[in-house]
Amino acid sequence: MDISLRDSTISTPSHATFSGTSGVCLMRNSWKEDQHPTFIDFISSFLCANSFRLNFVPISPDFIFNCGGLSVAFIFVTNWDCNNVSPIFNRVQKLKTQFSRFYVVITLPAKEQIDSFIQSYFKFGMVIGKPTFVPVKDLEMGFEKMVKIAHSSGVYKQERIGEKLKAERKQLVQGMNFYLKVVTSIPGIDNHDANALSQAIGSVQAIAKASREQILENTDLSTDKAEMVSRFLRDPKFYLRPKIN
């Protein structure tokens, strides 16, 4: 929870763009009705500049971003009323159980509001990071922070997916190399034969169970090779006997 607001400024919106970003932003209809039209125009322009599509829908949170296949929900408090904070925290308590990725962005331009927020945060039993509160000084910065959070979450997920696919490919290659090493250890069997057996029969275990006739019927191996494969993998006396190179 960032209380200091040291990096916040009340200034002209930066319209910073995120290279390669694309996604969908869902805005709650009733939230839109409570905002000034110029702020809605800013949001539309900022999202368009960052390749987000904006839809107005009847959702529970104020915003849901989908970026990189990951959904992130937000409450965006644009007017902190020091005398009426309980509805905000009651809503937070309800929504945090519905969304695994959930943030609360709050505009706090005055010291009085910051002090009120800090007191209320602990009064209502909030736990740091559950959810994460993001205090800001102005509306535009608040929305930009929301887009940055959604974007970084989507990028992180895509990176994790890429790492997982890379690991799976590596595992597949290692598995195939091991398979070729085992099958080509059979006298007379080369890589072509091993690949033919893999495509037609399957794993080493499946090849071991296959009869000579099945191998001949489904591959281009010769009769002698099919006999060798069948004997080698099914007869322990055969594959365990000493081999003379």
Side-chain angles (χ1 to χ4, degrees), residues 24-240:
V24 177
C25 172
L26 305 179
M27 180 191 296
R28 186 165 65 103
N29 289 329
S30 58
W31 185 91
K32 175 190 174 187
E33 295 170 359
D34 293 336
Q35 310 306 316
H36 194 279
T38 57
F39 185 41
I40 301 301
D41 290 341
F42 164 81
I43 289 174
S44 299
S45 176
F46 188 82
L47 290 173
C48 181
N50 288 282
S51 302
F52 276 88
R53 186 172 72 253
L54 175 61
N55 294 328
F56 304 102
V57 291
I59 54 178
S60 298
D62 297 327
F63 289 87
I64 296 178
F65 284 83
N66 187 290
C67 184
L70 188 74
S71 293
V72 185
F74 294 87
I75 286 178
F76 191 3
V77 181
T78 57
N79 182 24
W80 180 268
D81 184 352
C82 300
N83 298 315
N84 188 29
V85 300
S86 59
I88 296 173
F89 286 98
N90 291 338
R91 189 168 171 231
V92 169
Q93 293 283 22
K94 180 180 179 180
L95 291 179
K96 75 177 185 178
T97 63
Q98 300 177 13
F99 298 91
S100 59
R101 295 172 182 83
F102 175 51
Y103 297 81
V104 183
V105 178
I106 306 177
T107 53
L108 303 170
K111 183 179 184 303
E112 177 187 0
Q113 292 174 313
I114 295 174
D115 293 341
S116 170
F117 166 68
I118 295 173
Q119 294 173 5
S120 300
Y121 183 88
F122 294 103
K123 175 183 176 181
F124 285 89
M126 294 291 103
V127 177
I128 294 176
K130 297 181 180 181
T132 297
F133 283 74
V134 184
V136 295
K137 281 188 175 180
D138 62 79
L139 300 177
E140 291 81 4
M141 174 167 287
F143 189 76
E144 289 188 18
K145 281 183 176 286
M146 288 169 52
V147 177
K148 288 178 181 178
I149 290 170
H151 170 253
S152 61
S153 298
V155 169
Y156 176 73
K157 180 179 180 181
Q158 292 300 315
E159 289 176 349
R160 290 290 300 275
I161 291 174
E163 291 172 358
K164 182 178 179 181
L165 291 174
K166 184 177 180 180
E168 290 177 349
R169 286 194 296 267
K170 182 178 180 180
Q171 186 177 13
L172 182 62
V173 169
Q174 290 176 340
M176 191 61 188
N177 289 339
F178 177 76
Y179 170 88
L180 290 173
K181 184 175 181 179
V182 171
V183 178
T184 55
S185 68
I186 302 173
I189 301 301
D190 55 25
N191 283 345
H192 169 80
D193 301 327
N195 285 319
L197 288 165
S198 174
Q199 294 173 15
I201 308 298
S203 65
V204 174
Q205 291 81 358
I207 295 172
K209 295 177 181 179
S211 65
R212 183 187 65 174
E213 289 71 23
Q214 288 177 307
I215 295 173
L216 287 171
E217 183 179 349
N218 293 284
T219 70
D220 60 356
L221 270 67
S222 66
T223 302
D224 290 343
K225 288 187 176 183
E227 176 69 24
M228 177 62 70
V229 170
S230 179
R231 290 180 61 195
F232 188 88
L233 294 178
R234 299 176 72 177
D235 185 355
K237 294 181 180 178
F238 186 88
Y239 65 74
L240 291 177

